[in-house]
C-alpha cells in the first residue's frame, strides 16, 4: 500500500494563490474605479481559473479520494467591449456630424435673414415702393426724390450685406475644410502609431487594453469627421491582430490606415462655385467689376488622396476577388467590389502575369482621379465630381462643411445656391427697373443732357440708369451683376443727382413747363405689383420663396440632427451599458474580493494552526 | 440592460438640456410676444405674416396718398366754386348791362369798373394756391404763376425760341408758339398759334391755343397730376386752368366757337368801356350762361372723383383691420397659452432638477460602512 504523501505546505500555496488573485482583482477594481470618468475607458476584468491538479491519474492512489486543484490562477486582463456597437455608434456619429454642421451653418444663415423684422430686404423693398408713391405725389420735390434715393441706397446696402455675410461664411467654411482635413491626417497618423505600439505589445500575448482604449477614442473622433469602416484582421494565427481603417462610401472607399501604413488626404485648389472674376491688377471696366462689399474666394479647396497613396489590390487576372496571399494583409476595401480600373494611375504588377489564376497583386498610387474625371483647377467641380468627393469621405462633419460650401442645387442647398438666388433678385431689379427708368425724362434741374448712355437705342426716354448696370444693359448680359455689386448708378448717388430721377414721360426742358409724374406712376410704381416680371415673377414673392427655402432647409436639418442625435445617443448608451464602469458593481466586487482575500488569509491561519498542532503539540504525550 | 453611472448622468444631462430648450422657447415666446422666433419655426406662417405686413404697409401708403389727394381736390373744388360765383356775378352784370333802361355812359362808368374788378379776381382765382402750389398750375415744374399776361419780354422769348427751332418770325408779324414736340402749335383751322403782347398765357402758352381740342387733350394727358390710390388705380387730383376755363359757346351768328372765361370777361369789359349798346351787352348773357354750365360740370366731375376716393378710403380702413388681425394671428403668441406653456415647461424643468441629485448622487458607497 503506497501512500503518496502530501506536501505539508501545499495548503499554504493554495491559499497564497487566493491571496494574490484577490489582490490582483482588487487592483483591477481599483483601476476601473479610477477610470470611471476617463473618456473611452472600457471596464476591465481579470480572467481567472482554477489551477488543475498536478498529479496524474495513476499517481493518485491515495487514501484520500478526490483530486484537488492547486488554487487559482489568472490569465489575462480582458476588456468588455462590443465591436458591433462601436461600428453602430461610429456610423451614427458620422451621420450626426454631417447634420450638426449643416444645422449650425443654417442657424447662422437664418440669423442673417432674420425675419420678421423691420430692417430686412422686404421692409426695405416696401420702403422703396412707398418712396416711389411719395415721389408720385410730388415729383419736383427734392425731399421726395431724396427719399427715393436713400430708400434705394438702403435696399442695395441690405442686399450687399446679405451677400457679404454669405461669402464670409463660405470663406470660413473653406478654412474649416483645411483644418478638418489636417485633423483627419493627424488622427490617422496617431492611429497608425498606436497600431504599431499595440501590435508590438500584444506580441507578448497580453492585451494592450489601455492603448486600445486610446485608439478607440481616436476612431470615435475620426468618425465624427468622415465615415469610417474599421476591421481587425490577422495575417497569421500566431500574430496579433492588425487594424485597418477605410473611409468613404461604395466604390470610392479608400484605405486611410492599414496597420502601420497611413495614407494622407491632400487639398487641391479648384474654382469656387460662386464664380467671380474680378482682377484687382486690371482697371475697373465693364468686364472687370469690383464688388462693393468684398469678393468671394477665387478658389476653394477640394479633397483628394495624396500622391503616394498605397493600396493593395486583390484580384486575379479574371477580376475575381481572391483571398489574400500569405504575407499580405487582408484588405476589406475590395471585398466583393470590383476595382474600377480608372482609379489606378500607376500600378506595379507583382505576380505572374502569364497565369490567369495567380493573384494580381498590384500596388497602386492614387491621385486626384475622381473615377477618371480629373479635377480641373480652372473650373468649379461638376456635380458628379462633387458627389465623388462626398463619396470619398462619406458622411461626417467634412461632408457637412462641403455641402454648405459648395451646395448649388435643390438636393444640396448650400451657400452658392443662396448667393445665386440673391444675385437673381439684384439682377432682375437692375434690369427691369432700369429698363423703365430709361424711358423717362429727368427734372429740368438735371445736369444730364438727354441720352447720355452710350449705345442707348431706345426711341423714348433719356436713357438714364437708376441702378448701376456697368454698361452691360444693352449687351443683354447682366450676368456680371451680383448681389455684391448691386448699387445705384454713379449718376444717382450725389445730393444733386436726385434731379436725374426720370419721373416724367415727356421731355422736360428749361424753357417750357412740360413734364409730369407718369413715368413714376404708370411704369416704375407698377413694377412692384406686377406678377409677370421676367425670371422672378414678383420681387416680393421671389424673396418669400427664398426665405421659405431657408426656413424649410433649416427645419429639415434640425429634424435630421435630432433624429441622428437620438440614434447616436442610443448606440452610445448601449455601448456604455456594456463597457462603462458601474461604481455599484465595482463596489460589490471590491467587497467580494476583500472577503475572498480575508478568507484566504483565514485559510493560512487555519493551516498555521494545524501545523502548530503538528509541530508543537504532537509527541508530547505523557511528557 | 446593465445600467452604469455614466449612462444615467448622460441621459440626465441630455434630458435636462431638452427641458431647458423648451423652457427657453416658452420664455422667448412669452417675453417677446412673438410666436415665430426664427424662420424655421413655421416657414409658411412666417411668409403669410410677411405678406400681411406688406399689405398693411401698402394700405398705409395708399391712405397717405389719399390724404394728399384730398388736399389737392379740396383746393381745386374750392377754387372752382369761387370761379363759379365770379361767373355768376359777371352774368348779373351782363343782365344789368343788357337792360335798355341803362344809359351807355353808365355802362362805361359804373358797370365797366365792376367787370374789370371781376376780371382781375378771375385771374387771381385761376392762380389760386394751396400750400405753395398752384391749384390749376398742373405739373408746374418751376412753380411759376401759371396764368399771366404776355409781356414784351415773353413775346421776344417766344420769337427767339421759335427762331431757334427753325421758325423765324417775319418783321412786324407775331411769333409762333412751340408745342411740346418742338413744332408750332396750331389752331383748329390749321393756322399757327401766335403770341401777342397782352395775351393771356397759361404756363407760357397763349390760352387761345387750347381752343383747339387736340392741344387741350395733349396738355391734359401730359400734365395732369395723378396719384395711385389703389393697386393700379390712378386718379387725377388736379385740373388744368384751360380745362376749367375753356368752354364752347355760340357767337352772335349762331356758330359754335371755343372761348375762355378770361377772354370772355375781357371782351365784355372792352365792350362796356367802348361803350356798347344794350343789345351788344345782351350777347354776353348767353356766353356767361355757357361758362357757368361748364364750370358747374367741372365741379360735379370733381365730386365724382371724391366719391371714388371716399369709397377707397372706407375699404382701406376695413382691409387694414383685416390684415392686422391676420398678421397678429400668424405672428403673435396667445399670451394665456404662452403663460400656461411656460408654467408647464418650468414645472417639468424644476421636477427634473429635483430628480437629478437623487438619481446621480447615491451609490452603494453611501451605504457601506
Amino acid at each position: 500500500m503506497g501512500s503518496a504523501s502530501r506536501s505539508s505546505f501545499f495548503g499554504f500555496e493554495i491559499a497564497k494563490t487566493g491571496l494574490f488573485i484577490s489582490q490582483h482583482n482588487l487592483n483591477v477594481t481599483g483601476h476601473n474605479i479610477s477610470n470611471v470618468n476617463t473618456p473611452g475607458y472600457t471596464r476591465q476584468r481579470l480572467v481567472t481559473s482554477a489551477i488543475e491538479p498536478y498529479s496524474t491519474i495513476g499517481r493518485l492512489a491515495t487514501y484520500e479520494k478526490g483530486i484537488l486543484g492547486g488554487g487559482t490562477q489568472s490569465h489575462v486582463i480582458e476588456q468588455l467591449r462590443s465591436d458591433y456597437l462601436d461600428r453602430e455608434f461610429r456610423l451614427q456619429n458620422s451621420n450626426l456630424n454631417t447634420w450638426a454642421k449643416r444645422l449650425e451653418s443654417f442657424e447662422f444663415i437664418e440669423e442673417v435673414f432674420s425675419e420678421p423684422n423691420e430692417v430686412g430686404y422686404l421692409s426695405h423693398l416696401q420702403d422703396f415702393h412707398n418712396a416711389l408713391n411719395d415721389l408720385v405725389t410730388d415729383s419736383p420735390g427734392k425731399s421726395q426724390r431724396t427719399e427715393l434715393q436713400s430708400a434705394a441706397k438702403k435696399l442695395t446696402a441690405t442686399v450687399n450685406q446679405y451677400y457679404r455675410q454669405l461669402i464670409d461664411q463660405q470663406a470660413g467654411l473653406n478654412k474649416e475644410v483645411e483644418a478638418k482635413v489636417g485633423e483627419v491626417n493627424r488622427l490617422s497618423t496617431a492611429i497608425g502609431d498606436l497600431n504599431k505600439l499595440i501590435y508590438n505589445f500584444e506580441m507578448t500575448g497580453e492585451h494592450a487594453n489601455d492603448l486600445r482604449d486610446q485608439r478607440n477614442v481616436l476612431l470615435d473622433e475620426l468618425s465624427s469627421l468622415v465615415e469610417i469602416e474599421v476591421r481587425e484582421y490577422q495575417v497569421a494565427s500566431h500574430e496579433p491582430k492588425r487594424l485597418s481603417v477605410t473611409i468613404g462610401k461604395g466604390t470610392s472607399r479608400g484605405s486611410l490606415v492599414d496597420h502601420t501604413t497611413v495614407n494622407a488626404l491632400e487639398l487641391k485648389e479648384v474654382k469656387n462655385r460662386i464664380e467671380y472674376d474680378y482682377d484687382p491688377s486690371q482697371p475697373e471696366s465693364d468686364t472687370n467689376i469690383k464688388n462693393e462689399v468684398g469678393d468671394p474666394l477665387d478658389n476653394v479647396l477640394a479633397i483628394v488622396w495624396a500622391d503616394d497613396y498605397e493600396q493593395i489590390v486583390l484580384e486575379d487576372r479574371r477580376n475575381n476577388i481572391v483571398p489574400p496571399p500569405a504575407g499580405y494583409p487582408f484588405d476589406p476595401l475590395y471585398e466583393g467590389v470590383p476595382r474600377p480600373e480608372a482609379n489606378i494611375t500607376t500600378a506595379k504588377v507583382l505576380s505572374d502575369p502569364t497565369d490567369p489564376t495567380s493573384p494580381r497583386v498590384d500596388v497602386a498610387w492614387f491621385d486626384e482621379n475622381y473615377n477618371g474625371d480629373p479635377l480641373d483647377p480652372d473650373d468649379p467641380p461638376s456635380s458628379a465630381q462633387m458627389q465623388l468627393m462626398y463619396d470619398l469621405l462619406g458622411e461626417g462633419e467634412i461632408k457637412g462643411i462641403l455641402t454648405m460650401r459648395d451646395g448649388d442645387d435643390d438636393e444640396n442647398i448650400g451657400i452658392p445656391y443662396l448667393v445665386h438666388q440673391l444675385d437673381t433678385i439684384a439682377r432682375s431689379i437692375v434690369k427691369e427697373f432700369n429698363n423703365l427708368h430709361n424711358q423717362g425724362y429727368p427734372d429740368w434741374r438735371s445736369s444730364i443732357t438727354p441720352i447720355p448712355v452710350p449705345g442707348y437705342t431706345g426711341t423714348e426716354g433719356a436713357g438714364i440708369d437708376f441702378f448701376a448696370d456697368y454698361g452691360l444693359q444693352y449687351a443683354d448680359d447682366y450676368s456680371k451683376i451680383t448681389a455684391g455689386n448691386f448699387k445705384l448708378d454713379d449718376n444717382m448717388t450725389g445730393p444733386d443727382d436726385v434731379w436725374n430721377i426720370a419721373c416724367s414721360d415727356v421731355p422736360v426742358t428749361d424753357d417750357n413747363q412740360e413734364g409730369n409724374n407718369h413715368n413714376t406712376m404708370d411704369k416704375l410704381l407698377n413694377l412692384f405689383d406686377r406678377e409677370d416680371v421676367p425670371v422672378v415673377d414678383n420681387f416680393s414673392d421671389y424673396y418669400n420663396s427664398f426665405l421659405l427655402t431657408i426656413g424649410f432647409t433649416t427645419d429639415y436639418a434640425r429634424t435630421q440632427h435630432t433624429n441622428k442625435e437620438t440614434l447616436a445617443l442610443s448606440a452610445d448608451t448601449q455601448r456604455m451599458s456594456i463597457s462603462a464602469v458601474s461604481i455599484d458593481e465595482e463596489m460589490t466586487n471590491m467587497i467580494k474580493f476583500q472577503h475572498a482575500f480575508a478568507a484566504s488569509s483565514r485559510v493560512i491561519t487555519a493551516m498555521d494552526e494545524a501545523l502548530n498542532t503538528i509541530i508543537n503539540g504532537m509527541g508530547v504525550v505523557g511528557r | 440592460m446593465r445600467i452604469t453611472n455614466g449612462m444615467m448622468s448622460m441621459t440626465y444631462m441630455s434630458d435636462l438640456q431638452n427641458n431647458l430648450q423648451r423652457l427657453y422657447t416658452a420664455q422667448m415666446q412669452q417675453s417677446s410676444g412673438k410666436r415665430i422666433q426664427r424662420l424655421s419655426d413655421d416657414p409658411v406662417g412666417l411668409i403669410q405674416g410677411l405678406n400681411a405686413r406688406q399689405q398693411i404697409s401698402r394700405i398705409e401708403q395708399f391712405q397717405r396718398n389719399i390724404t394728399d389727394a384730398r388736399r389737392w381736390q379740396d383746393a381745386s373744388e374750392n377754387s372752382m366754386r369761387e370761379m363759379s360765383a365770379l361767373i355768376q356775378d359777371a352774368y348779373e352784370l351782363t343782365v344789368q348791362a343788357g337792360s335798355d333802361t341803362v344809359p351807355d355812359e353808365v355802362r362805361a362808368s359804373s358797370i365797366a369798373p365792376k367787370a374789370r374788378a371781376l376780371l382781375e379776381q378771375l385771374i387771381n382765382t385761376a392762380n389760386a394756391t394751396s400750400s405753395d402750389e398752384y391749384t390749376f398750375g398742373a405739373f408746374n415744374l418751376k412753380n411759376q404763376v401759371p396764368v399771366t399776361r404776355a409781356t414784351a419780354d415773353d413775346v421776344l422769348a417766344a420769337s427767339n425760341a421759335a427762331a431757334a427751332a427753325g421758325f423765324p418770325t417775319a418783321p412786324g408779324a407775331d411769333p409762333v408758339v412751340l408745342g411740346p414736340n418742338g413744332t408750332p402749335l396750331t389752331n383748329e383751322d390749321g393756322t399757327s398759334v401766335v403770341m401777342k403782347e397782352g395775351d393771356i398765357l397759361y404756363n407760357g402758352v397763349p390760352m387761345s391755343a387750347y381752343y383747339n381740342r387736340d392741344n387741350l387733350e395733349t396738355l391734359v394727358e401730359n400734365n395732369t397730376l395723378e396719384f395711385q390710390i389703389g393697386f393700379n388705380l390712378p386718379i387725377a387730383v388736379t385740373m388744368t386752368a384751360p380745362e376749367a376755363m375753356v368752354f364752347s359757346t355760340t357767337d352772335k351768328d349762331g356758330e359754335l366757337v371755343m372761348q375762355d372765361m378770361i377772354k370772355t370777361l375781357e371782351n365784355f369789359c372792352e365792350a362796356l368801356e367802348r361803350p356798347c349798346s344794350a343789345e351788344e351787352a345782351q350777347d354776353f348773357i348767353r356766353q356767361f350762361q355757357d361758362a357757368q354750365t361748364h364750370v358747374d360740370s367741372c365741379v360735379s366731375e370733381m365730386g365724382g372723383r371724391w366719391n371714388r376716393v371716399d369709397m377707397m378710403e372706407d375699404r382701406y380702413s376695413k382691409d387694414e383691420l383685416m390684415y392686422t388681425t391676420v398678421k397678429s394671428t400668424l405672428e403673435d403668441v396667445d399670451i394665456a397659452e404662452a403663460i400656461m406653456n411656460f408654467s408647464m415647461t418650468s414645472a417639468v424643468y424644476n421636477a427634473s432638477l429635483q430628480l437629478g441629485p437623487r438619481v446621480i448622487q447615491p451609490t452603494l458607497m453611501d451605504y457601506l460602512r
Side-chain angles (χ1 to χ4, degrees):
Chain A
M1 155 182 161
S3 67
S5 64
R6 189 166 289 280
S7 155
S8 312
F9 300 115
F10 185 48
F12 276 122
E13 288 301 319
I14 293 177
K16 195 179 82 187
T17 60
L19 273 182
F20 283 176
I21 294 296
S22 300
Q23 204 170 12
H24 203 164
N25 261 322
L26 277 172
N27 287 342
V28 172
T29 306
H31 189 55
N32 281 343
I33 293 175
S34 316
N35 284 303
V36 66
N37 289 325
T38 306
Y41 181 76
T42 309
R43 69 184 164 122
Q44 297 177 8
R45 196 170 59 190
L46 185 65
V47 180
T48 57
S49 66
I51 299 174
E52 285 156 26
Y54 293 129
S55 10
T56 57
I57 298 292
R59 295 184 60 210
L60 283 174
T62 61
Y63 28 14
E64 296 148 347
K65 290 299 177 194
I67 310 163
L68 181 64
T72 181
Q73 62 182 354
S74 62
H75 298 280
V76 75
I77 298 174
E78 65 167 22
Q79 283 185 308
L80 291 136
R81 197 171 179 100
S82 156
D83 287 347
Y84 167 74
L85 289 174
D86 275 341
R87 203 185 144 107
E88 183 64 20
F89 171 75
R90 284 168 191 156
L91 186 68
Q92 300 304 346
N93 195 30
S94 302
N95 280 325
L96 169 65
N97 278 284
T98 306
W99 288 104
K101 194 69 218 178
R102 282 184 70 80
L103 179 62
E104 180 194 316
S105 218
F106 266 108
E107 278 179 339
F108 171 79
I109 291 170
E110 201 178 45
E111 285 301 312
V112 172
F113 298 95
S114 62
E115 292 284 356
N117 73 18
E118 311 294 334
V119 289
Y121 166 86
L122 285 174
S123 51
H124 285 311
L125 188 69
Q126 189 58 49
D127 286 351
F128 185 65
H129 189 233
N130 290 349
L132 273 174
N133 262 302
D134 288 342
L135 185 60
V136 164
T137 60
D138 190 3
S139 302
K142 187 163 188 180
S143 66
Q144 279 77 0
R145 284 169 179 262
T146 309
E147 184 192 340
L148 182 75
Q149 186 192 43
S150 68
K153 278 181 181 167
K154 276 189 210 149
L155 181 70
T156 54
T158 307
V159 174
N160 292 165
Q161 172 72 8
Y162 290 160
Y163 181 84
R164 175 61 194 256
Q165 282 175 293
L166 287 178
I167 62 165
D168 277 358
Q169 206 202 357
Q170 196 203 27
L173 287 167
N174 193 47
K175 280 244 179 301
E176 257 186 275
V177 168
E178 196 174 0
K180 296 294 173 186
V181 166
E183 186 85 359
V184 169
N185 287 340
R186 182 187 69 78
L187 286 169
S188 53
T189 311
I191 290 168
D193 291 349
L194 275 170
N195 279 350
K196 190 170 185 180
L197 281 176
I198 292 168
Y199 183 81
N200 290 346
F201 188 96
E202 293 189 348
M203 283 287 204
T204 61
E206 289 294 331
H207 287 205
N209 289 332
D210 301 304
L211 290 174
R212 279 172 171 269
D213 282 343
Q214 279 183 37
R215 189 170 66 185
N216 277 324
V217 170
L218 295 182
L219 288 167
D220 285 354
E221 250 180 81
L222 189 60
S223 76
S224 68
L225 298 169
V226 289
E227 188 173 335
I228 59 171
E229 174 84 42
V230 180
R231 288 279 186 111
E232 277 196 277
Y233 63 91
Q234 233 172 342
V235 172
S237 58
H238 62 272
E239 259 196 31
K241 284 180 171 174
R242 303 173 184 221
L243 179 125
S244 84
V245 182
T246 57
I247 61 168
K249 263 184 181 156
T251 51
S252 294
R253 268 165 63 191
S255 168
L256 187 68
V257 183
D258 188 10
H259 191 38
T260 55
T261 310
V262 175
N263 289 314
L265 291 176
E266 226 174 45
L267 298 164
K268 189 178 162 73
E269 287 204 331
V270 290
K271 276 271 175 212
N272 192 350
R273 286 183 79 82
I274 305 175
E275 273 194 277
Y276 193 70
D277 47 7
Y278 174 66
D279 181 357
S281 65
Q282 297 297 315
E284 285 182 50
S285 69
D286 296 356
T287 46
N288 196 36
I289 303 166
K290 186 168 166 44
N291 267 344
E292 290 298 290
V293 289
D295 301 335
L297 299 169
D298 283 337
N299 294 317
V300 293
L301 298 167
I303 302 167
V304 295
W305 285 109
D307 285 346
D308 55 355
Y309 180 93
E310 200 174 296
Q311 180 69 58
I312 312 298
V313 186
L314 301 164
E315 285 171 358
D316 68 12
R317 311 247 140 240
R318 293 173 181 142
N319 285 346
N320 296 319
I321 303 298
V322 296
Y328 278 96
F330 170 76
D331 175 17
L333 178 56
Y334 294 112
E335 193 184 37
V337 183
R339 175 187 189 74
E341 284 295 324
N343 273 13
I344 308 170
T345 49
T346 322
K348 191 163 65 180
V349 179
L350 298 180
S351 59
D352 180 11
T354 55
D355 176 11
T357 58
S358 101
R360 190 181 74 176
V361 182
D362 296 346
V363 179
W365 288 266
F366 278 51
D367 53 18
E368 71 284 2
N369 35 68
Y370 283 82
N371 275 353
D373 183 12
L375 287 171
D376 182 352
D378 296 330
D379 267 330
S382 67
S383 299
Q385 282 173 327
M386 283 199 331
Q387 192 55 50
L388 285 166
M389 205 195 299
Y390 301 155
D391 287 349
L392 182 107
L393 304 158
E395 298 294 327
E397 195 175 347
I398 299 183
K399 183 184 169 187
I401 297 171
L402 288 177
T403 53
M404 284 312 298
R405 190 195 67 184
D406 299 332
D408 197 15
D409 49 45
D410 299 340
E411 302 278 309
N412 298 301
I413 293 176
I415 288 170
Y417 184 84
L418 302 176
V419 167
H420 288 153
Q421 297 214 334
L422 274 186
D423 286 348
T424 306
I425 291 177
R427 217 166 274 161
S428 290
I429 293 180
V430 173
K431 187 174 181 178
E432 304 304 329
F433 196 88
N434 273 1
N435 187 20
L436 297 176
H437 195 262
N438 280 324
Q439 297 171 18
Y441 296 89
D443 193 78
W444 62 275
R445 281 159 283 201
S446 163
S447 53
I448 297 186
T449 48
I451 316 186
V453 178
Y456 179 65
T457 53
T459 48
E460 273 185 22
I464 299 172
D465 286 337
F466 188 79
F467 292 108
D469 64 10
Y470 305 96
L472 298 167
Q473 121 199 57
Y474 307 110
D476 259 346
D477 176 17
Y478 285 79
S479 64
K480 288 192 182 341
I481 293 168
T482 67
N485 59 32
F486 177 45
K487 61 165 187 177
L488 286 180
D489 192 83
D490 288 344
N491 279 329
M492 285 292 161
T493 50
D496 284 329
D497 290 342
V498 297
W499 302 120
N500 298 337
I501 297 170
C503 298
S504 175
D505 69 350
V506 293
V508 183
T509 53
D510 201 356
D511 39 62
N512 70 23
Q513 303 250 345
E514 299 278 330
N516 55 36
N517 61 2
H518 294 180
N519 198 48
T520 331
M521 199 186 71
D522 299 340
K523 291 176 179 160
L524 297 177
L525 200 53
N526 289 344
L527 181 63
F528 295 92
D529 290 329
R530 270 168 55 189
E531 299 290 341
D532 59 347
V533 179
V535 186
V536 296
D537 296 340
N538 176 289
F539 291 119
S540 307
D541 288 351
Y542 189 84
Y543 189 77
N544 281 349
S545 68
F546 172 72
L547 287 182
L548 270 182
T549 307
I550 295 175
F552 279 133
T553 315
T554 312
D555 191 39
Y556 181 66
R558 187 170 293 129
T559 315
Q560 287 289 328
H561 179 258
T562 312
N563 290 347
K564 306 293 178 202
E565 199 171 32
T566 313
L567 288 172
L569 190 71
S570 134
D572 202 22
T573 310
Q574 287 188 40
R575 203 162 66 149
M576 282 173 85
S577 170
I578 289 179
S579 302
V581 175
S582 157
I583 291 180
D584 291 351
E585 191 180 282
E586 298 302 327
M587 279 301 181
T588 315
N589 283 343
M590 198 168 79
I591 292 163
K592 201 168 79 182
F593 298 137
Q594 202 182 3
H595 280 304
F597 187 85
S600 292
S601 339
R602 273 299 165 83
V603 174
I604 290 175
T605 315
M607 291 291 170
D608 183 35
E609 276 181 23
L611 283 175
N612 190 28
T613 308
I614 293 169
I615 295 165
N616 295 326
M618 280 170 77
V620 292
V621 176
R623 201 167 33 174
Chain B
M1 194 190 204
R2 179 176 173 268
I3 306 293
T4 64
N5 304 74
M7 277 159 76
M8 292 187 73
S9 48
M10 194 171 82
T11 313
Y12 177 67
M13 283 293 288
S14 114
D15 288 348
L16 205 60
Q17 188 62 39
N18 287 342
N19 286 338
L20 210 52
Q21 188 74 47
R22 277 194 284 272
L23 190 67
Y24 177 67
T25 312
Q27 181 236 313
M28 286 275 282
Q29 284 194 341
Q30 202 190 336
S31 61
S32 69
K34 296 281 170 226
R35 190 175 66 88
I36 301 172
Q37 305 292 338
R38 299 172 296 199
L39 263 178
S40 53
D41 286 346
D42 178 3
V44 176
L46 181 101
I47 298 300
Q48 286 170 343
L50 288 175
N51 279 337
R53 271 167 185 258
Q54 198 180 3
Q55 296 301 342
I56 292 169
S57 171
R58 280 190 188 182
I59 288 169
E60 281 169 358
Q61 180 64 46
F62 288 140
Q63 286 173 331
R64 269 205 301 283
N65 291 356
I66 285 176
T67 312
D68 266 353
R70 270 182 190 283
R71 182 170 65 75
W72 278 97
Q73 288 193 333
D74 262 340
S76 302
E77 201 177 311
N78 287 342
S79 306
M80 212 80 94
R81 290 194 188 285
E82 209 173 303
M83 215 178 264
S84 173
L86 287 172
I87 299 298
Q88 178 68 34
D89 289 352
Y91 168 75
E92 279 160 18
L93 286 184
T94 54
V95 174
Q96 206 180 329
S99 165
D100 290 334
T101 54
V102 178
D104 290 357
E105 307 81 54
V106 176
R107 285 195 188 93
S109 64
S110 139
I111 302 177
K114 285 183 188 164
R116 274 284 167 205
L118 283 179
L119 177 63
E120 287 316 306
Q121 273 189 51
L122 187 63
I123 292 175
N124 282 346
T125 310
N127 286 333
T129 57
S130 109
S131 63
D132 289 349
E133 314 214 45
Y134 291 99
T135 310
F136 297 103
F139 199 86
N140 192 336
L141 287 163
K142 292 185 189 169
N143 223 18
Q144 285 173 343
V145 181
V147 179
T148 51
R149 257 178 221 284
T151 60
D153 285 349
D154 289 332
V155 176
L156 186 64
S159 165
N160 288 343
F167 303 98
T169 313
D174 296 317
V176 297
V177 181
L178 298 177
N181 53 6
T183 55
L185 289 169
T186 54
N187 290 315
E188 208 137 349
D189 58 11
T191 56
S192 292
V193 176
V194 292
M195 191 194 287
K196 288 200 224 21
E197 203 179 330
D199 273 354
I200 297 291
L201 302 181
Y202 176 69
N203 284 345
V205 174
M207 193 72 105
S208 59
Y210 300 112
Y211 295 176
N212 183 346
R213 279 273 157 213
D214 292 344
N215 291 342
L216 185 61
E217 269 166 30
T218 313
L219 173 80
V220 171
E221 191 184 311
N222 285 346
N223 289 276
T224 306
L225 186 58
E226 289 181 326
F227 288 1
Q228 283 287 10
I229 58 159
F231 299 111
N232 211 359
L233 191 67
I235 189 164
V237 295
T238 57
M239 197 169 255
T240 55
E243 255 181 296
M245 302 187 112
V246 175
F247 63 99
S248 62
T249 183
T250 45
D251 63 8
K252 53 182 181 295
D253 303 326
E255 291 282 321
L256 203 65
V257 289
M258 302 298 288
Q259 271 281 27
D260 72 83
M261 293 167 191
I262 298 173
K263 186 75 191 163
T264 313
L265 194 51
E266 204 172 34
N267 288 344
F268 180 51
C269 291
E270 278 165 9
L272 291 174
E273 281 158 7
R274 220 178 295 133
C276 64
S277 64
E279 208 170 294
E280 209 176 330
Q282 277 166 14
D283 250 5
F284 288 99
I285 295 181
R286 193 188 55 258
Q287 291 185 25
F288 280 110
Q289 275 171 340
D290 288 340
Q292 184 86 52
T293 315
H294 179 74
V295 173
D296 289 349
S297 77
C298 287
V299 171
S300 42
E301 197 192 319
M302 295 295 283
R305 292 183 200 166
W306 262 109
N307 286 344
R308 242 165 90 202
V309 173
D310 282 346
M311 208 179 67
M312 291 311 287
E313 198 175 28
D314 216 41
R315 213 185 83 192
Y316 287 142
S317 55
K318 283 181 194 143
D319 281 2
E320 194 181 14
L321 184 68
M322 184 191 80
Y323 282 118
T324 310
T325 316
V326 169
K327 171 176 161 277
S328 173
T329 317
L330 290 164
E331 288 185 353
D332 296 344
V333 80
D334 178 346
I335 286 295
E337 198 186 319
I339 292 174
M340 216 168 69
N341 268 342
F342 181 76
S343 314
M344 261 155 58
T345 44
S346 106
V348 171
Y349 179 63
N350 277 325
S352 57
L353 277 182
Q354 279 174 9
L355 182 73
R358 293 187 197 175
V359 168
I360 297 172
Q361 213 175 37
T363 62
L364 187 61
M365 221 151 45
D366 298 307
Y367 301 96
L368 293 177
R369 276 174 295 115

